[in-house]
Amino acid sequence: MDFAHLTEALASKSYEKIADICDDLMLQAAAEGIAFQDEWPYAIHILGHLYVDDINSARFLWKAVPSTVRESRPELVAVWKIGQKLWTRDYGGVYGAIHGFDWSQEVQGLLVAFSDLYRRRMFQLLVSAYSTLSIHDTAHFLGMSEEEAKNYVTQEGWIVDLASQMLTVKKQQIVSEQKLDSSKLQRLTEYVFHLEH
């Protein structure tokens, strides 16, 4: 099995491509009748799906992994613990699963990128869902200590009330672009031309 595209995507930190590359390689191997179970990078493949927020595909892939492979790869089981936490919406538990294993060098870069991306997603979720939130809950959702969480959100413009230990969420402005499709532009041009002549 030629994993050159996968190795290249990992090296260039093109993590958003990992799931698709692995899916394509798996389909190619299946079409060619190649047995790949023992050498397949299941941990990276599942993490690739988690990275692009495709928990369903990650879950189905986990179910397809032979039990002998699961039993022989503790790192794969640790990756799926992250998937389980995401599946059950245990937002704070995701960080515990990430920090609860000594990851291999091969998986570490993708995992660090996933962790950062997940934290940004959680932050956006908090911004969209709350107007005020306790420092404790914010720290839980962001996988940080209370002090780290307080510093993180104040850099984003949130206001801290130390007496109540509450944060006031700064809503982000929604910028919308009005797009003019070419047919409307054409009609407008014809209309103006008609008025001028």
Side-chain angles (χ1 to χ4, degrees):
M1 201 78 237
D2 183 11
F3 292 111
H5 290 299
L6 178 59
T7 304
E8 186 179 300
L10 288 166
S12 66
K13 298 183 180 185
S14 301
Y15 300 127
E16 71 283 353
K17 297 178 183 178
I18 300 295
D20 286 340
I21 291 170
C22 289
D23 288 347
D24 290 345
L25 285 171
M26 188 176 266
L27 288 172
Q28 177 187 348
E32 295 173 7
I34 299 171
F36 56 80
Q37 294 175 348
D38 292 336
E39 66 184 61
W40 193 257
Y42 287 108
I44 288 175
H45 195 168
I46 289 174
L47 265 176
H49 282 291
L50 297 179
Y51 186 85
V52 294
D53 205 18
D54 186 0
I55 186 69
N56 285 328
S57 292
R59 186 171 157 253
F60 289 125
L61 179 59
W62 169 254
K63 288 182 174 190
V65 175
S67 60
T68 56
V69 173
R70 288 185 203 173
E71 292 166 4
S72 66
R73 296 191 191 173
E75 187 169 64
L76 173 60
V77 174
V79 164
W80 183 239
K81 283 182 184 174
I82 297 169
Q84 287 174 310
K85 299 298 181 184
L86 290 167
W87 184 257
T88 59
R89 293 187 174 100
D90 179 0
Y91 303 116
V94 171
Y95 300 106
I98 289 171
H99 299 299
F101 190 82
D102 187 19
W103 303 99
S104 68
Q105 190 68 28
E106 182 182 36
V107 170
Q108 207 164 26
L110 175 55
L111 192 68
V112 167
F114 167 77
S115 181
D116 292 342
L117 180 62
Y118 178 72
R119 180 168 284 127
R120 286 194 304 272
R121 287 177 186 155
M122 286 296 95
F123 178 77
Q124 291 305 316
L125 179 67
L126 296 177
V127 168
S128 65
Y130 295 94
S131 55
T132 59
L133 191 63
S134 73
I135 294 172
H136 174 78
D137 289 344
T138 303
H140 174 76
F141 279 110
L142 297 179
M144 301 175 163
S145 71
E146 290 186 11
E147 190 62 30
E148 290 170 328
K150 193 169 51 173
N151 291 336
Y152 185 86
V153 298
T154 54
Q155 290 175 357
E156 298 294 330
W158 291 25
I159 300 168
V160 179
D161 181 352
L162 291 175
S164 66
Q165 291 293 295
M166 295 296 288
L167 298 162
T168 302
V169 177
K170 179 184 178 192
K171 298 293 182 182
Q172 297 174 337
Q173 286 187 324
I174 299 171
V175 178
S176 62
E177 289 184 27
Q178 184 176 3
K179 294 186 178 181
L180 188 62
D181 68 52
S182 60
S183 65
K184 288 180 181 177
L185 185 59
Q186 179 65 33
R187 283 190 304 229
L188 181 61
T189 303
E190 289 171 2
Y191 181 73
V192 171
F193 179 78
H194 178 71
L195 289 175
E196 291 178 350
H197 295 82

